[in-house]
Amino acid sequence: MLECKMKSEQQQGESSHQELKTSNNYGSVMEDEDDTTGVSLRCLSLYTRGGGGCKVGAATTDDFAQLGKVPKPVCGTHDTSIDCFSYGVERFWKRNYTKKNNFEAQNNAMHVFLPDDILEMCLMRLPLTSLMNTRLVCKKWRSLTTTPRFLQMRKDGFYPSPWLFLFGTVKNGYCSREIYAFDVSFKKWHKIETEVLNGRFLFSVATVHDTVYIIGGCSSRKTHRGVLVFNPLMKSFHKVASMRHARSKPVLGVYEVNSDRLTIKSQTRTRTRTLTQTQTRFLIIAVGGVGSFDEPLDSCEIYDSSSNKWTEIQRVPVDFGIICSAVVCNGIFYVYSESDKLAAYDIKHGFWVRVPTNPVPPRVHEYSPKLVSCGGERLFMVAVSWCEGDGEIGRRNKAVRKLWELDLVCLSWNQVLMHPDAPMDWNAVFVGDKNLIFGVEMFKIFGQVLEFVTICDVSDPNMDWVHVSKNEVARDMDVSSCVMKSMAVVHL
């Protein structure tokens, strides 16, 4: 009996000891490892809600650099394959660090900028069409690309390309206010609208650097003496001094003054101008044209940019005839008359001389010849003449447009090229620029006005005419545009 009682007390003590051990080692069940996964479950209480679990507040730190160190376990003394605290904080740090880097990269990209001088060097190399689009980006770029300094740097860097400007078009019986510009580089037409030239026609144009001088002309009431200057880059107009005589369709020539002193001899007195180093001086010579009473004029006058005045000079030789074309070549102002006579005006000495040429190029007199200067040293003439069937029996004669060059030593005309198109335009316009000759022809056929733009490179041994534009802008024009039109070539 006593023995049974002692065994019962021993079993009760062992049970109490086991309960005490269990209460002292709370959570020991969490220390067991799941044999199926091999992952320690001793810290799962970190992700539970409530008051129990691991006390992680004492182990946290603001210095994320210490996260790279292996932390001591806070939930037991055994090694673990995954430490839940370091793993969770590391993910939190990587996520926020990535967001911070992305934000800084975007912020830096928004504030990337170039110095103004580097930006100018980039923008000045753009073609004019692209340059005009960049002015729409922001006010700073517009201000930067419209300064005289920027325009001069672009001009001095030889980045401009040739543009053709077509003036004097007619639509619906009225003089159009539109100026058509042809980009030779991209072979594309552009249209500029202006109210300044509305109602004005039969004026002449001349290119001076990057501007176009619009001289004389008529309106419904009078013949004009005024001169307008058109700036294609700024799309603006301004006035300069008016001519002494009102003229429509005067013949023009432009001479750039390179010497420091140049004497202009008028009919009444001699005027000498001294050019300073900061000035760019040029002269515009206006000859002939039609007066206020539709009378042909033989008077001549010169515009001096340094004084902004027109000076009347010696008239053309007697019995020279009606002047139809003129150009400046080698410092000499050459004029050609409808009676096939050639005269030259010495700008430096101020007098006219006749230039006897032999033989005179045969031509069809219904078509006016056009003098063209290339490179400032070569003198050409575009004229229409008859071609006698190319030697074939039974073939009818046809009219062709030929290019002639004047030998300035022997004073003889030599044929160098034939134009591929039939001469449909009675008033075709040809302008020389450096080594290129640009031609614009407009005519009406089958009830529609058409236009051709051709270019010839005279420096090429195998020179030929190349078509760069056909029937793109003249469809909506009146047939009178063929007579009214004028053209200028500007490097922009």
Side-chain angles (χ1 to χ4, degrees):
M1 185 70 175
L2 179 61
E3 184 177 357
C4 292
K5 184 178 182 180
M6 290 178 63
K7 289 182 179 179
S8 177
E9 291 178 355
Q10 184 179 0
Q11 292 177 358
Q12 185 178 2
E14 289 178 357
S15 299
S16 301
H17 178 72
Q18 184 66 28
E19 292 176 0
L20 179 62
K21 183 178 179 180
T22 301
S23 62
N24 290 337
N25 296 309
Y26 177 78
S28 61
V29 180
M30 308 297 291
E31 296 178 0
D32 296 335
E33 293 183 357
D34 187 353
D35 294 337
T36 60
T37 60
V39 179
S40 175
L41 302 176
R42 63 186 180 87
C43 292
L44 291 180
S45 60
L46 176 66
Y47 300 100
T48 61
R49 300 179 64 180
C54 300
K55 306 299 183 180
V56 297
T60 57
T61 175
D62 293 335
D63 188 4
F64 289 132
Q66 297 180 4
L67 294 176
K69 300 179 181 179
V70 180
K72 295 180 180 180
V74 296
C75 301
T77 59
H78 300 283
D79 294 335
T80 60
S81 58
I82 296 180
D83 188 282
C84 56
F85 173 73
S86 60
Y87 176 72
V89 174
E90 184 177 1
R91 290 183 62 188
F92 172 78
W93 177 76
K94 286 183 176 180
R95 182 171 66 252
N96 287 273
Y97 183 74
T98 304
K99 290 182 179 180
K100 182 179 180 181
N101 282 351
N102 292 337
F103 176 77
E104 291 180 353
Q106 294 177 1
N107 195 28
N108 292 336
M110 293 172 61
H111 291 84
V112 170
F113 66 94
L114 292 175
D116 288 350
D117 54 347
I118 302 299
L119 186 59
E120 282 182 340
M121 295 178 64
C122 297
L123 295 177
M124 73 172 58
R125 288 167 168 79
L126 294 175
L128 179 61
T129 305
S130 301
L131 182 62
M132 300 299 287
N133 292 333
T134 59
R135 294 179 179 177
L136 305 176
V137 174
C138 60
K139 293 182 179 180
K140 179 181 178 181
W141 283 23
R142 179 177 178 82
S143 175
L144 192 67
T145 57
T146 54
T147 59
R149 175 179 175 273
F150 177 85
L151 299 178
Q152 187 63 37
M153 289 173 59
R154 189 171 183 272
K155 178 182 175 182
D156 295 341
F158 299 101
Y159 301 115
S161 58
W163 283 64
L164 304 184
F165 287 87
L166 186 63
F167 300 84
T169 59
V170 181
K171 287 186 177 181
N172 300 322
Y174 296 95
C175 298
S176 175
R177 62 180 182 179
E178 298 169 345
I179 301 174
Y180 292 89
F182 180 71
D183 186 355
V184 178
S185 300
F186 292 92
K187 296 180 174 60
K188 185 177 180 181
W189 284 95
H190 303 267
K191 183 168 60 176
I192 303 174
E193 293 188 359
T194 175
E195 296 290 344
V196 178
L197 298 178
N198 194 14
R200 193 166 178 174
F201 57 94
L202 290 178
F203 50 81
S204 298
V205 296
T207 303
V208 179
H209 302 150
D210 56 353
T211 58
V212 179
Y213 279 68
I214 302 171
I215 301 176
C218 298
S219 62
S220 58
R221 298 180 179 180
K222 64 176 182 178
T223 302
H224 294 277
R225 298 188 302 115
V227 179
L228 298 174
V229 182
F230 171 58
N231 189 333
L233 289 176
M234 307 302 295
K235 296 182 180 179
S236 61
F237 288 83
H238 70 271
K239 294 182 179 181
V240 294
S242 299
M243 294 184 294
R244 292 180 174 271
H245 301 277
R247 307 171 187 267
S248 61
K249 275 299 180 180
V251 180
L252 305 178
V254 178
Y255 175 71
E256 187 170 353
V257 180
N258 296 322
S259 60
D260 294 338
R261 295 176 63 86
L262 179 67
T263 301
I264 298 178
K265 295 184 178 181
S266 65
Q267 291 182 330
T268 57
R269 63 183 182 277
T270 301
R271 181 177 299 173
T272 302
R273 300 287 301 181
T274 301
L275 180 65
T276 62
Q277 295 181 355
T278 58
Q279 291 178 324
T280 302
R281 186 184 177 192
F282 60 89
L283 306 176
I284 299 179
I285 308 174
V287 181
V290 180
S292 300
F293 301 98
D294 295 334
E295 77 281 9
L297 302 176
D298 60 354
S299 60
C300 311
E301 47 189 317
I302 290 182
Y303 171 77
D304 191 347
S305 64
S306 61
S307 62
N308 191 29
K309 292 183 179 180
W310 287 87
T311 303
E312 193 168 0
I313 60 174
Q314 183 182 3
R315 296 175 181 267
V316 295
V318 181
D319 299 331
F320 182 73
I322 299 175
I323 300 172
C324 58
S325 182
V327 73
V328 174
C329 181
N330 279 330
I332 304 295
F333 181 59
Y334 292 92
V335 295
Y336 200 85
S337 69
E338 294 182 354
S339 57
D340 295 324
K341 296 178 181 178
L342 182 66
Y345 179 77
D346 191 331
I347 301 176
K348 294 183 179 179
H349 299 90
F351 60 86
W352 288 94
V353 294
R354 291 181 180 269
V355 181
T357 59
N358 190 21
V360 176
R363 67 180 185 89
V364 180
H365 287 270
E366 287 77 8
Y367 297 85
S368 299
K370 305 294 181 182
L371 293 180
V372 180
S373 176
C374 291
E377 298 178 353
R378 301 176 66 180
L379 181 62
F380 295 89
M381 182 174 65
V382 182
V384 176
S385 59
W386 292 105
C387 182
E388 297 179 356
D390 295 335
E392 298 182 10
I393 300 176
R395 185 170 181 178
R396 297 179 59 186
N397 296 344
K398 62 178 182 180
V400 294
R401 203 180 301 274
K402 298 181 180 180
L403 181 65
W404 304 79
E405 183 176 6
L406 179 64
D407 188 340
L408 298 177
V409 177
C410 300
L411 298 180
S412 60
W413 291 101
N414 302 310
Q415 180 181 338
V416 294
L417 190 62
M418 291 179 57
H419 200 283
D421 297 332
M424 303 292 291
D425 188 1
W426 301 83
N427 188 39
V429 182
F430 293 90
V431 178
D433 180 76
K434 296 183 179 180
N435 291 321
L436 299 177
I437 299 178
F438 299 90
V440 174
E441 299 179 68
M442 295 177 61
F443 54 91
K444 185 177 181 179
I445 186 172
F446 303 124
Q448 190 176 22
V449 179
L450 307 179
E451 101 283 345
F452 291 162
V453 180
T454 53
I455 298 178
C456 177
D457 187 356
V458 298
S459 63
D460 188 357
N462 300 320
M463 68 173 65
D464 198 2
W465 293 97
V466 179
H467 290 88
V468 293
S469 176
K470 287 184 178 181
N471 310 330
E472 295 186 17
V473 296
R475 297 176 181 177
D476 298 332
M477 299 180 186
D478 293 353
V479 66
S480 55
S481 300
C482 303
V483 181
M484 302 291 185
K485 70 179 180 297
S486 55
M487 181 182 67
V489 180
V490 186
H491 283 260
L492 301 173

